[in-house]
Amino acid sequence: MPLLPPELADGQPRPRRGDPVARRAGRALRRVFASSPAAETAAVTQAAHAIQQPVATGRQIAVSSIRGGAGKSTVAALLALTYAHYRSDPVLAVEADPALGTLPHRLGAREVRWSGSDLAQIVDPAMLITDLTGYLLPFAGGGWLLPGSQGAIGTRLDLDTYRIVMTSLRRHFAATVVDCETLPAEVARTALVTTQARVVATPATPEGVAATRAVLDWVGGLHSGLLPTTVVVLTHTSPDSALDVRRAAEHLGAGGAAVLPLPYDRHLAAGGAIRTELLGERTREAAARIAAEVMDRAVSREPGRQQQQRQTTVHPPGQPPVYVPGQATVSPPPQDPQRAPAPAGPQAHAQQQQPQPQPQPAPGYHPPQAAPPAPAPPQGPAPQGTPPQGPPPQGPATQPMPTMPVAPPQAAGTPQAAGPPEGPGAPTAPDQRSPFDGGPVP
């Protein structure tokens, strides 16, 4: 179904350039005589790096406004075109304002085949992206568009339909730009809360700034993490704007929201499809800054997990260990009361090592000794064929500590068990054992 009647589509005026001739000529002269290619390249590289940063899951960005005519669909179209130009992964633009939205017109669509309501009835989690693109419309730069309606007047988007579509398409597209209804519509309020970043388009007028401040206060009251992921775009619909942009940014930026201006552009003010090659230079730079800021805030909502190193705490002997989350508690080894405690320092590790048992040499083998500790008495040569008596002399070696007896010591005052008689004249005690225990049989 065509978006515009044939008589209106054929009678559209020729697109205008965003910058007038005098501005383009002055810019060309400045590039020749007073240009800074290094600064321009650094700014473009920084914006491109932020736009092209990888994402773990699809980032969804909601674009809304306080009233119609604030440039909401224009900002959404610029974001979709910028992401499709810079990113190599799929980019999707969703029209969630079928009644008053102009996103298909801004992205150059001429006809609508399927809408979001139609796709919600046939979408399946097992569908691949190649299956979904048959129900979408391509736009310039390699992106995809999902219209909200087929040109019907007064069409409303159901909340359940919006949730089904956004949940099913999120895993297939790295960036999804949603052109929502004006606030406080139900779908717009749901999109502002469920997306990873949100953009509020406001006209660069004193009343527009005041109304947007009230909306930001409402958004901040819902959750403390919504304002830091919000970007306010001041859209200039007139070349002569009396608004102080710096004061407006300070007023709207309270709470953590970013405020960026979108300058007046003749190509955008004329309406119709947006052609990026006809945009003014300041408009292209502003669109890149807005897209980079939005992507930065959409990715920063997912906090990076920092690896915490596990620490070991040794509690003193005789006291119970104290459990601390994330730490391992280890008790020190028992110490021998007859041995002095090992000194602390670099020599502690060497002194704590136990001596290893030395292998015994084979019979008949005498290991060479450089300096014996004490001279041995002279011995005569042993006859041939006679093995040496006893083990060969060993060098000074540390002997292992003797082990404690297995039987525990008895306490003082405890009678000892009767043992065998000592001496030939000791009386023999009668055997009181039971026959079942090996005693005498009566």
Side-chain angles (χ1 to χ4, degrees), residues 327-380:
Q327 296 183 357
T329 305
V330 180
S331 300
Q335 298 182 359
D336 192 352
Q338 299 180 358
R339 299 181 59 184
Q347 301 178 357
H349 180 71
Q351 295 183 5
Q352 291 179 0
Q353 293 182 354
Q354 296 294 337
Q356 301 294 336
Q358 299 182 359
Q360 297 294 335
Y365 171 76
H366 298 271
Q369 298 182 0
Q379 298 182 1

Side-chain angles (χ1 to χ4, degrees), residues 182-221:
T182 56
L183 293 169
E186 185 179 17
V187 174
R189 289 186 284 115
T190 303
L192 289 180
V193 177
T194 56
T195 52
Q196 284 74 38
R198 55 215 49 84
V199 179
V200 180
T202 178
T205 58
E207 57 272 14
V209 172
T212 304
R213 181 66 260 179
V215 172
L216 294 179
D217 294 338
W218 171 77
V219 172

Side-chain angles (χ1 to χ4, degrees), residues 423-440:
T428 303
D431 194 353
Q432 301 294 338
R433 293 181 299 172
S434 172
F436 299 99
D437 298 335

Side-chain angles (χ1 to χ4, degrees), residues 30-206:
R30 286 194 301 270
R31 286 180 176 177
V32 173
F33 297 102
S35 63
S36 177
E40 296 178 1
T41 304
V44 174
T45 304
Q46 183 179 3
H49 177 74
I51 296 174
Q52 296 174 351
Q53 58 183 310
V55 294
T57 57
R59 304 287 95 179
Q60 296 180 349
I61 303 164
V63 183
S64 185
S65 62
I66 56 175
R67 61 177 178 83
K72 169 180 61 67
S73 298
T74 301
V75 174
L78 286 175
L79 289 177
L81 290 171
T82 305
Y83 290 142
H85 174 74
Y86 281 96
R87 299 189 66 90
S88 58
D89 39 18
V91 175
L92 176 66
V94 178
E95 183 189 20
D97 187 12
L100 299 176
T102 58
L103 185 62
H105 297 277
R106 285 304 208 177
L107 293 179
R110 295 183 175 272
E111 60 180 4
V112 177
R113 293 174 294 179
W114 301 88
S115 64
S117 301
D118 301 331
L119 185 61
Q121 299 177 4
I122 61 178
V123 69
D124 186 84
M127 296 178 65
L128 303 176
I129 188 173
T130 54
D131 302 329
L132 295 172
T133 52
Y135 303 96
L136 306 177
L137 297 176
F139 62 85
W144 299 93
L145 168 66
L146 178 61
S149 66
Q150 296 182 355
I153 301 300
T155 305
R156 307 292 296 181
L157 182 64
D158 185 42
L159 183 59
D160 295 336
T161 301
Y162 170 80
R163 291 176 176 174
I164 293 174
V165 170
M166 298 301 294
T167 304
S168 303
L169 300 182
R170 178 178 179 178
R171 65 187 183 92
H172 297 289
F173 297 92
T176 302
V177 181
V178 186
D179 183 15
C180 301
E181 300 174 327
T182 56
L183 293 169
E186 185 179 17
V187 174
R189 289 186 284 115
T190 303
L192 289 180
V193 177
T194 56
T195 52
Q196 284 74 38
R198 55 215 49 84
V199 179
V200 180
T202 178
T205 58

Side-chain angles (χ1 to χ4, degrees), residues 410-426:
Q410 297 183 357
T414 303
Q416 298 183 356
E422 298 181 358

